[in-house]
């Protein structure tokens, strides 16, 4: 049996951020579909703080793929104020606030975890999201990638503050 160690979770780039009430792990990963090449993606895991530790057993996990990752990058770059990533039973919201990004995750009733990402953590989080989007899109030209993101973000009306990615998956 062949194990692809390049895509093994232990070998993927991660960014970890810790707040007073929750923690976040953003992890480079791939989407695997039958008969298709692996597609770069980003897993977001948000878990509550339990005293001095993060309770990763209670984490909420969302995988951001080709419809979600451009929206996340637009928020990280300041092109959009907010993005909401919903699935049937859970969701994560990423929102720009003064001097930080704010991440909140919900699942079912009563499970809501949130944390702010200060500027340095926002940089690392955004850099990882952009690296995955660059792999996913196959674009070698950074200026083309940024222009494409600006163009996509410009499609949203200025007054539109409740943005949603696709609600399936």
């Amino acid at each position: 049996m062949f194990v692809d160690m390049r895509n093994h979770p232990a070998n993927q780039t991660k960014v970890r951020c810790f707040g007073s009430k929750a923690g976040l792990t953003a992890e480079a990963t791939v989407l695997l579909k039958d008969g298709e090449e692996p597609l770069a993606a980003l897993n977001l895991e948000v878990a509550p703080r339990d005293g001095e530790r993060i309770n990763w057993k209670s984490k909420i996990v969302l995988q951001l793929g080709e419809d979600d990752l451009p929206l996340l990058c637009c928020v990280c770059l300041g092109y959009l104020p907010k993005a909401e990533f919903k699935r049937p039973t859970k969701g994560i919201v990423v929102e720009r606030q003064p001097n930080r990004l704010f991440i909140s995750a919900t699942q079912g009733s009563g499970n809501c975890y949130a944390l702010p990402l200060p500027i340095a953590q926002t940089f690392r989080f955004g850099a990882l999201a952009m690296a995955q989007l660059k792999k996913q899109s196959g674009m070698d030209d950074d200026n083309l990638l940024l222009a494409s993101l600006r163009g996509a973000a410009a499609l949203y009306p200025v007054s539109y503050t409740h943005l949603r990615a696709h609600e399936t998956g």
Side-chain angles (χ1 to χ4, degrees):
M1 181 173 149
F2 173 74
V3 176
D4 181 1
M5 291 308 291
R6 287 176 302 143
N7 293 324
H8 191 274
N11 295 327
Q12 297 299 320
T13 304
K14 296 176 182 68
V15 172
R16 289 198 170 103
C17 307
F18 303 98
S20 62
K21 296 184 180 179
L24 166 75
T25 297
E27 179 178 23
T29 188
V30 293
L31 290 168
L32 299 172
K33 294 183 182 178
D34 289 336
E36 295 182 23
E37 287 291 315
L39 184 67
L42 188 70
N43 280 359
L44 299 182
E45 302 175 354
V46 182
R49 182 174 285 284
D50 188 12
E52 293 296 313
R53 300 182 158 263
I54 301 295
N55 182 357
W56 293 109
K57 290 180 182 178
S58 297
K59 67 186 173 186
I60 297 170
V61 181
L62 242 63
Q63 187 171 63
L64 304 185
E66 58 191 334
D67 292 336
D68 304 315
L69 208 45
L71 281 175
L72 176 62
C73 290
C74 284
V75 173
C76 290
L77 291 169
Y79 300 154
L80 292 174
K82 179 179 180 179
E84 184 175 322
F85 307 102
K86 284 194 155 293
R87 304 299 185 264
T89 61
K90 57 189 171 182
I92 293 180
V93 176
V94 181
E95 182 176 12
R96 294 186 71 79
Q97 294 182 349
N99 302 315
R100 65 187 186 179
L101 280 183
F102 192 78
I103 312 276
S104 61
T106 58
Q107 183 170 11
S109 61
N111 294 327
C112 182
Y113 317 132
L115 73 154
L117 301 187
I119 294 170
Q121 291 178 346
T122 296
F123 166 77
R124 290 192 298 277
F125 178 67
L128 178 58
M130 288 294 295
Q132 287 301 97
L133 181 62
K134 187 173 179 177
K135 288 177 191 174
Q136 186 185 89
S137 69
M139 290 184 193
D140 291 330
D141 185 335
D142 293 340
N143 290 323
L144 178 60
L145 185 63
L146 291 172
S148 297
L149 287 170
R150 274 193 302 272
L155 295 173
Y156 288 98
V158 174
S159 63
Y160 193 65
T161 60
H162 189 73
L163 307 174
R164 277 193 231 181
H166 68 287
E167 295 192 12
T168 61

